[in-house]
Amino acid sequence: MRIAVLRETARGERRVALTPDGVARLVKQGHEVGVERGAGEAAGFLDGAFEAAGGVARERAAALDGAEAILAVQRPEDALLEALPAGALLVGLLQPYQAGHALRRLAERGVHAMAMERVPRTTRAQAMDALSSQASLAGYKAALLGAAALPRILPMMTTAAGTLAPAKAFVVGAGVAGLQAIATARRLGAVVSAFDVRPVVKEQVQSLGASFVEVPAVAADGAGGYAKELGASEQERVLAAVGAHLREVDLVVTTAQVPGRPAPRLVTAAMLASMRAGSVLVDLAAETGGNCEVTRAGETVRAGGVTVIGAVDLPSRVPLHASQLYGRNLSALLAHLAPQGTLALDPADEIAGAMLVVHAGKVVA
Ligand code: NAD
């Protein structure tokens, strides 16, 4: 199979879809990998490293020429969609719900497309789960960003001038990103607590050395490790408990999400006003509306004495490892789609079927 790796066109994107070790793996399986010149530069991988791994660094048109699978991190800009060869498969985080016109254009041009957001959360597809691999890194980076924005240090420190108490961190939403935020804040020396509407995660939170904030009679387990939306009275109890806890903490990381819904609102402006001056909230749900009322996607705002960070590009801020994990997700997907080396797109397959958003000239998202 001929595989092309694109240089990302989205503004500020530093990841690359495949790293040199991923190229080496695919070349060993008999595939030919063309990498657009400069594709890995922002993530720390120069063209020479891809060539040493058995890939070929080419200008864009040459990399795309004859390509059967085209790998990207984000959806390529519109002009680039016009250059993709008919019959090829484009794979990436294509944001299918916001990309109607791009998907229609791909369908018209006879390009197939798979959205990495649509990998099913099943055991079989775990190795392909890019949302989880990227969310883990986002949780880690969120704790670091928050720590760096605080006017205090996180660990307890004993000095000749006296002892500094450890900071208190609170993580709301203990899924993939939340658990990494908890682990990172703990490693930095904070005293960590966490809350989630799925009581099953309590043990995981405690095993990371954090305490679990209990809210009686709230249990919103949904399917596949996701939460369900809360009813009005549950939401009221959650807000009261979160609000009371916020007054005592220095660093908050919010990661609550319910798939397909706007981010649950868990921190109001009034709750922020009750927090300690100098405290910091990092809102990972900024892109879907924010868990905090004042969050602005892609911006850092001050609300009273509190800094609210709405960064939406956290995986791209650790581009080397984010690319490495994303590339492994893609390699696992290609191995699934082409077990004998030839690409087969079977809409009846539980993984391919869930991920295909454009197939055989039709938008199927
Ligand atoms: P996840 O589904 O694994 O975890 C979300 C958790 O939120 C679940 O454990 C769920 O039970 C919990 N939850 C739902 N409603 C809640 C509520 N009302 N109160 C408390 N907890 C609640 O998701 P994830 O993969 O960890 O991603 C978390 C968020 O981070 C998502 O919004 C995702 O889009 C975002 N994200 C942001 C970036 C970035 O750069 N900012 C990068 C990656 C992911």
Side-chain angles (χ1 to χ4, degrees):
M1 178 166 41
R2 276 189 87 160
I3 298 167
V5 178
L6 292 177
R7 181 180 175 137
E8 293 299 306
T9 50
R11 201 157 62 91
E13 180 55 74
R14 296 169 67 199
R15 293 169 289 179
V16 60
L18 212 56
T19 58
D21 67 325
V23 169
R25 241 188 335 268
L26 291 171
V27 168
K28 206 166 149 202
Q29 290 163 17
H31 303 301
E32 193 191 316
V33 186
V35 182
E36 184 176 347
R37 281 194 200 287
E41 222 165 79
F45 304 107
L46 302 182
D47 291 346
F50 287 106
E51 303 242 39
V56 190
R58 295 187 167 120
E59 296 310 321
R60 178 182 292 167
L64 286 174
D65 188 27
E68 292 153 81
I70 300 161
L71 309 183
V73 179
Q74 295 204 45
R75 187 175 70 246
E77 63 187 10
D78 290 354
L80 175 46
L81 296 180
E82 301 300 322
L84 306 184
L89 169 71
L90 170 67
V91 191
L93 291 161
L94 304 178
Q95 297 186 298
Y97 301 113
Q98 295 139 49
H101 82 281
L103 299 188
R104 282 192 295 279
R105 190 64 197 128
L106 289 171
E108 281 161 15
R109 300 205 52 261
V111 178
H112 312 289
M114 273 185 175
M116 288 300 280
E117 291 94 336
R118 303 267 293 256
V119 173
R121 246 189 192 181
T122 59
T123 312
R124 246 181 108 211
Q126 224 169 17
M128 307 162 205
D129 187 349
L131 284 186
S132 291
S133 73
Q134 303 302 293
S136 299
L137 296 170
Y140 162 84
K141 191 66 183 177
L144 288 191
L145 267 191
L150 279 171
R152 54 173 301 145
I153 64 165
L154 266 63
M156 184 177 99
M157 192 180 281
T158 303
T159 77
T163 298
L164 301 172
K168 290 184 179 161
F170 179 33
V171 176
V172 185
V176 178
L179 290 172
Q180 285 303 327
I182 292 169
T184 307
R186 280 277 299 155
R187 283 181 215 122
L188 291 172
V191 174
V192 185
S193 53
F195 168 69
D196 197 295
V197 290
R198 293 182 301 126
V200 293
V201 300
K202 176 177 171 179
E203 250 175 53
Q204 293 170 47
V205 166
Q206 289 174 333
S207 73
L208 291 170
S211 59
F212 191 76
V213 175
E214 308 265 2
V215 183
V218 167
D221 283 293
Y226 286 114
K228 291 191 297 208
E229 222 164 13
L230 296 179
S233 79
E234 282 179 315
Q235 169 73 0
E236 221 170 87
R237 286 200 297 283
V238 165
L239 283 184
V242 169
H245 199 66
L246 283 175
R247 287 183 213 127
E248 296 162 17
V249 300
D250 306 290
L251 170 62
V252 184
V253 178
T254 61
T255 77
Q257 76 156 349
V258 176
R261 307 289 311 147
R265 187 53 53 78
L266 292 160
V267 181
T268 62
M271 284 155 79
L272 277 184
S274 74
M275 288 176 67
R276 292 177 183 165
S279 50
V280 173
L281 185 149
V282 185
D283 190 345
L284 263 77
E287 211 158 18
T288 47
N291 292 140
C292 168
E293 190 177 353
V294 310
T295 298
R296 283 218 289 272
E299 290 180 33
T300 296
V301 294
R302 297 270 300 178
V306 184
T307 304
V308 178
I309 300 175
V312 293
D313 61 346
L314 295 172
S316 179
R317 295 190 194 201
V318 279
L320 186 144
H321 274 146
S323 304
Q324 202 171 78
L325 294 184
Y326 184 76
R328 287 185 194 159
N329 296 140
L330 283 179
S331 302
L333 174 66
L334 289 179
H336 175 76
L337 297 176
Q340 311 302 330
T342 315
L343 200 60
L345 299 180
D346 176 8
D349 176 75
E350 63 161 334
I351 296 172
M355 295 178 65
L356 273 170
V357 290
V358 181
H359 185 231
K362 287 203 176 73
V363 175
V364 290

